[in-house]
Amino acid sequence: MGWLLLLPPMLSVHQLGLSFGGTDLFKDISFQVTPGQRLGLVGRNGAGKSTLLRLIAGEMSQDQGQINTPTDFKIGFLTQDIPVQGERTVWDECATSFGDIQQLEIDMESMTLEMGQREDFESQGYMDLIDRFHKAQEHFQQIGGYTYQADMERVLMGLGFIADDFHKRLDTFSGGWQMRVELAKILLQRNDLLLLDEPTNHLDLESILWLEQFLSESPQAIILVSHDRTFLNNATNRTLEIVMGKSYDYPASYYKYLVLREEIREKQRQAKFNQDKEIKQTKMLIEKFRYKASKAAFAQSLIKQLARMDVIAVDDEDKRQMRVKFPPSPHSGKVVVNMKNIHKHYGEKHVLKGLDMELSRGQKVAFVGQNGQGKTTLVKIMAEALKHEGELVFGHQVKLSYYAQDQADVLDGNLTVLQTIEDSAPENMRPQVRKLLGNFMFQKEDVEKKVKVLSGGERGRLALCQLMLNPMNLLILDEPTNHLDMVAKDVLKDALNLYDGTLILVSHDREFLEGLADMTYEFKDGKAKQYLGGIAYFLEKRKLESMRELDKKTEIAQQAKAESGKIGHKEQRAKLRDLEKAVNKARRQADKAEEAYGSLQEKLDVMDKVLADAEAYKKASADPAYYQNYEVLQGKVEEAFAAWEDTVNHLKSQETRLASSAS
């Protein structure tokens, strides 16, 4: 599907192709990105998403095609692999994003010092110095010299750091926190295009929601790879899908793209059905008349008609998927694990402070909360006997299996896929190892690959396969979806819903948790607060669709209260009337925009029906202006839809202001 460009492209990718070992990874990939577009790049593991980002960033070279950008075009690239940083503090490392501002600061200080030392106030040299200083000062303001430190603080705190962290050395933080600093640097830089490869992998839910909002409001163009559907949907306004080496472009965010993709494929299937029917009938006529002298010319005409026909193809789909089924759980006691007064500290940092928890047979429990609040620490105490204080007792005949955050990364890279599973399998399961690997999409020669050449998604599937080798009745999964594509996540979720044992699930993926856990524990300040429901109930109970909404509402209420104290009741009523008028006006604008969009969409639907009908399609294809008009109308529909969304968002904003002022 084409994308109607309304602004000059800042990135143009034309017929891009890349192959490995004679096999095409992708071929003839073409798309353009204009200012302000936020493009979600989707596809199965191994489809080439990360590779495409590296090509755009200039870290790899393509075999064919072109990647064009304007002169002085700046790209910020966040990869999945961040090198270990040195001895700088978090603040100093983050400040490297503002090298030009800091150099200008040094130059201005030098000029200020020189002006204080000189006494030739009437000379041309002194006048030139004053002029240079004023120009530098103006440029300093234009590039954010007076606000960059506040911006640094806002972004670092949005990504989960506290003020005390700013001046700690970066090498005292884990790799996940170092990745956050790298992400902060990229967000703060004045790049024309952001390339973000799985930016949420090491973020907690609160930071994910902050980043989601930051990106959705960013004026920069963005190409984003993420397996977090909700995050991807909320942060993007366009979707590019890579399937079987080809790309398909949709002018919509992720959830709308899913609907649009199915509608398009359904139209293609219907059009292909009609065309196949026409081809069959035409071939029958050719066979009937080709050997009759009086009809030979007619038969030849039909043959030429067939040769000229553009065969309709249905967009490719990759329907491969894992087949996961957990073995039946051995029977255990009613109480699976009982923890009393659990304490854990690392030096002066107390992660768990007198935590109590009891889990029963068959429960499915979600652990949520900011990183560093003790979720992973507690599961390591259970699964790896991590040293701690307090009492932990497992129930009768509990058999535990554990998937750690780095489970996929600690596999032995020098072993083959087959050796990895054979070495871990009990003797009685070894004859079934190849079949089991097939269930996880490792087939034929795939099983002879070394683990070190596997993609992150393939290693994730292999680690899950390893998990299936022994029966279990207590399953602990710590961020199991980090390396899985969306289809694999769905398969795993379905299998976990059918799993009959006790499940502890640590995850920041809202959609994955939805409908899976029946109890939620929020970790905060060394404790775990229990919520007798799943993630939706937890968010509802905390009133945290945005995990920071509560703080925002409190702040708004306090501001409204302070303002009402400063102005009299008469002025307050006048203010409310003005806000009510603004709400009514915004509502009329939204209704008008919806009507405009609906009218244009009806016209587009009529043209779509023409394209889906074989007879009408033939007539339309004879008119070159038809497709031109179709694309123009398509662009107008996209503009009208965006305008409608803007008016709805404006209406919500006005309603919020009114509600806050009235409270």
Side-chain angles (χ1 to χ4, degrees):
M1 177 176 178
W3 174 264
L4 186 64
L5 294 173
L6 305 175
L7 293 169
M10 54 166 45
L11 169 71
S12 178
V13 176
H14 182 63
Q15 294 185 339
L16 202 66
L18 184 69
S19 61
F20 293 107
T23 302
D24 288 330
L25 179 61
F26 42 68
K27 191 174 183 181
D28 293 334
I29 297 231
S30 297
F31 63 95
Q32 295 179 334
V33 179
T34 60
Q37 286 184 348
R38 303 186 304 276
L39 189 151
L41 189 59
V42 301
R44 302 293 298 273
N45 283 336
K49 302 184 296 297
S50 296
T51 301
L52 179 57
L53 294 188
R54 291 186 181 279
L55 290 170
I56 295 170
E59 294 189 358
M60 294 178 64
S61 299
Q62 65 269 24
D63 295 329
Q64 61 187 48
Q66 295 178 325
I67 299 173
N68 297 313
T69 57
T71 307
D72 298 326
F73 188 73
K74 294 181 180 178
I75 294 177
F77 183 25
L78 180 77
T79 68
Q80 294 186 43
D81 304 312
I82 302 297
V84 175
Q85 304 295 336
E87 299 179 356
R88 286 195 187 105
T89 65
V90 168
W91 186 264
D92 290 341
E93 180 65 30
C94 198
T96 61
S97 293
F98 299 99
D100 53 347
I101 290 178
Q102 293 175 325
Q103 183 58 53
L104 197 52
E105 273 184 314
I106 294 171
D107 294 342
M108 288 168 62
E109 287 175 6
S110 175
M111 285 186 275
T112 300
L113 180 63
E114 185 179 349
M115 285 187 290
Q117 293 173 342
R118 292 178 62 161
E119 297 180 357
D120 54 336
F121 305 125
E122 303 298 329
S123 69
Q124 185 61 43
Y126 190 82
M127 292 296 106
D128 291 342
L129 176 60
I130 293 287
D131 185 54
R132 288 202 314 275
F133 179 79
H134 285 158
K135 287 181 179 177
Q137 197 174 40
E138 184 179 346
H139 184 53
F140 187 75
Q141 182 175 0
Q142 289 174 346
I143 62 177
Y146 296 110
T147 61
Y148 82 95
Q149 294 194 22
D151 292 337
M152 284 171 55
E153 183 175 346
R154 176 174 62 91
V155 170
L156 285 170
M157 295 187 80
L159 292 174
F161 291 94
I162 59 175
D164 289 346
D165 294 330
F166 293 170
H167 301 294
K168 293 178 181 177
R169 283 174 35 147
L170 197 56
D171 54 12
T172 64
F173 290 87
S174 67
W177 284 94
Q178 290 182 18
M179 190 280 286
R180 293 186 191 215
V181 176
E182 193 68 19
L183 176 58
K185 287 164 56 180
I186 290 170
L187 296 179
L188 287 163
Q189 293 163 2
R190 294 184 301 279
N191 293 301
D192 300 294
L193 174 67
L194 298 182
L195 305 176
L196 303 177
D197 194 358
E198 296 290 357
T200 65
N201 265 3
H202 300 283
L203 299 183
D204 52 56
L205 183 53
E206 191 168 349
S207 297
I208 289 171
L209 287 160
W210 178 89
L211 179 61
E212 188 178 280
Q213 183 174 353
F214 183 95
L215 295 180
S216 68
E217 297 173 352
S218 173
Q220 298 167 303
I222 298 166
I223 301 180
L224 170 66
V225 175
S226 178
H227 292 143
D228 184 329
R229 285 185 174 95
T230 307
F231 173 76
L232 188 66
N233 179 73
N234 295 341
T236 63
N237 55 20
R238 177 180 166 197
T239 304
L240 185 76
E241 181 183 27
I242 300 180
V243 184
M244 312 291 282
K246 299 178 183 178
S247 64
Y248 302 93
D249 204 341
Y250 302 87
S253 54
Y254 183 76
Y255 289 142
K256 294 172 189 171
Y257 135 79
L258 291 176
V259 175
L260 190 58
R261 178 184 66 175
E262 187 51 38
E263 287 177 353
I264 290 170
R265 284 183 175 147
E266 182 55 39
K267 289 174 183 176
Q268 289 174 338
R269 285 190 284 266
Q270 185 60 45
K272 181 169 176 56
F273 174 80
N274 293 334
Q275 187 183 64
D276 289 346
K277 185 177 178 181
E278 181 186 355
I279 290 172
K280 183 179 179 181
Q281 291 172 343
T282 303
K283 286 181 176 180
M284 288 174 62
L285 287 173
I286 291 171
E287 288 301 315
K288 183 176 180 180
F289 296 124
R290 72 190 305 170
Y291 300 113
K292 295 183 179 180
S294 60
K295 299 290 186 179
F298 175 61
Q300 286 300 315
S301 174
L302 292 175
I303 291 171
K304 291 178 182 178
Q305 181 182 323
L306 272 183
R308 289 194 301 268
M309 185 178 292
D310 290 329
V311 177
I312 297 172
V314 179
D315 290 349
D316 290 335
E317 285 185 90
D318 189 347
K319 294 185 177 180
R320 298 173 302 152
Q321 65 178 39
M322 297 191 305
R323 296 186 298 277
V324 180
K325 185 177 181 181
F326 288 92
S329 300
H331 190 73
S332 70
K334 184 176 179 181
V335 175
V336 173
V337 60
N338 190 354
M339 292 171 275
K340 292 181 180 179
N341 202 29
I342 300 293
H343 287 264
K344 178 62 185 176
H345 63 89
Y346 297 94
E348 296 182 357
K349 184 176 181 180
H350 290 261
V351 181
L352 298 174
K353 305 172 185 176
L355 181 143
D356 297 324
M357 185 182 297
E358 181 178 284
L359 299 180
S360 301
R361 183 177 61 232
Q363 279 187 323
K364 289 185 168 68
V365 177
F367 286 179
V368 301
Q370 286 186 316
N371 284 348
Q373 294 294 327
K375 304 183 301 297
T376 295
T377 298
L378 184 61
V379 298
K380 284 186 174 181
I381 287 173
M382 285 188 278
E384 298 180 347
L386 183 67
K387 188 177 179 181
H388 65 282
E389 298 170 22
E391 184 181 352
L392 184 149
V393 179
F394 286 107
H396 181 60
Q397 291 189 334
V398 169
K399 297 183 182 297
L400 185 152
S401 284
Y402 173 47
Y403 185 100
Q405 277 191 32
D406 60 352
Q407 194 76 33
D409 299 322
V410 298
L411 297 170
D412 189 338
N414 293 314
L415 295 180
T416 66
V417 169
L418 184 60
Q419 287 171 336
T420 299
I421 301 303
E422 282 184 336
D423 289 355
S424 303
E427 191 66 35
N428 64 318
M429 283 201 67
R430 291 192 178 179
Q432 305 170 41
V433 161
R434 285 182 179 270
K435 181 180 178 181
L436 184 61
L437 283 168
N439 290 341
F440 285 83
M441 297 168 59
F442 295 104
Q443 297 172 338
K444 298 178 181 177
E445 64 274 8
D446 290 340
V447 302
E448 300 302 333
K449 287 181 180 179
K450 289 283 184 74
V451 170
K452 61 186 175 184
V453 304
L454 300 180
S455 69
E458 289 170 327
R459 288 198 302 270
R461 296 202 309 269
L462 184 60
L464 284 173
C465 181
Q466 208 174 32
L467 200 67
M468 301 291 186
L469 296 173
N470 295 288
M472 71 207 80
N473 48 33
L474 173 57
L475 176 59
I476 302 176
L477 303 178
D478 193 355
E479 296 292 356
T481 64
N482 273 355
H483 296 289
L484 299 181
D485 62 37
M486 293 171 184
V487 176
K489 285 201 307 183
D490 289 343
V491 173
L492 176 60
K493 183 174 178 177
D494 289 343
L496 289 173
N497 270 317
L498 294 174
Y499 170 63
D500 60 353
T502 305
L503 173 66
I504 298 174
L505 185 59
V506 182
S507 178
H508 299 122
D509 190 322
R510 287 158 285 174
E511 187 181 57
F512 185 71
L513 289 173
E514 177 60 38
L516 188 52
D518 50 32
M519 183 182 295
T520 305
Y521 282 92
E522 181 192 18
F523 283 69
K524 189 174 183 180
D525 298 329
K527 302 285 187 177
K529 183 177 179 180
Q530 184 187 65
Y531 292 83
L532 299 175
I535 189 67
Y537 175 81
F538 163 70
L539 291 171
E540 173 79 22
K541 196 73 177 174
R542 285 285 310 273
K543 297 178 181 177
L544 293 176
E545 275 304 323
S546 148
M547 295 297 279
R548 298 192 192 271
E549 191 174 317
L550 191 61
D551 293 335
K552 287 181 181 177
K553 286 183 177 178
T554 303
E555 183 181 341
I556 290 170
Q558 288 172 344
Q559 288 175 352
K561 186 176 180 181
E563 288 174 5
S564 65
K566 293 175 185 177
I567 60 178
H569 292 294
K570 185 176 179 180
E571 288 83 358
Q572 179 70 5
R573 287 197 298 271
K575 181 180 178 182
L576 287 174
R577 281 198 299 272
D578 290 341
L579 286 171
E580 286 171 354
K581 289 178 182 178
V583 168
N584 291 331
K585 182 180 178 181
R587 188 172 290 120
R588 288 194 298 272
Q589 289 173 337
D591 291 341
K592 187 176 179 181
E594 182 179 6
E595 184 179 345
Y597 163 70
S599 175
L600 288 169
Q601 184 63 54
E602 285 179 8
K603 293 178 182 178
L604 186 63
D605 289 341
V606 171
M607 297 188 80
D608 281 334
K609 287 179 182 177
V610 170
L611 293 176
D613 180 83
E615 289 299 322
Y617 175 80
K618 281 199 297 185
K619 292 178 183 177
S621 62
D623 180 11
Y626 188 87
Y627 291 104
Q628 186 177 356
N629 294 336
Y630 180 80
E631 287 198 340
V632 170
L633 180 58
Q634 205 173 35
K636 289 180 178 178
V637 169
E638 292 157 9
E639 288 182 61
F641 184 82
W644 178 31
E645 278 193 317
D646 288 342
T647 60
V648 170
N649 290 335
H650 178 61
L651 173 59
K652 290 179 180 177
S653 173
Q654 295 295 342
E655 288 174 338
T656 300
R657 288 182 61 198
L658 176 60
S660 298
S661 295
S663 60

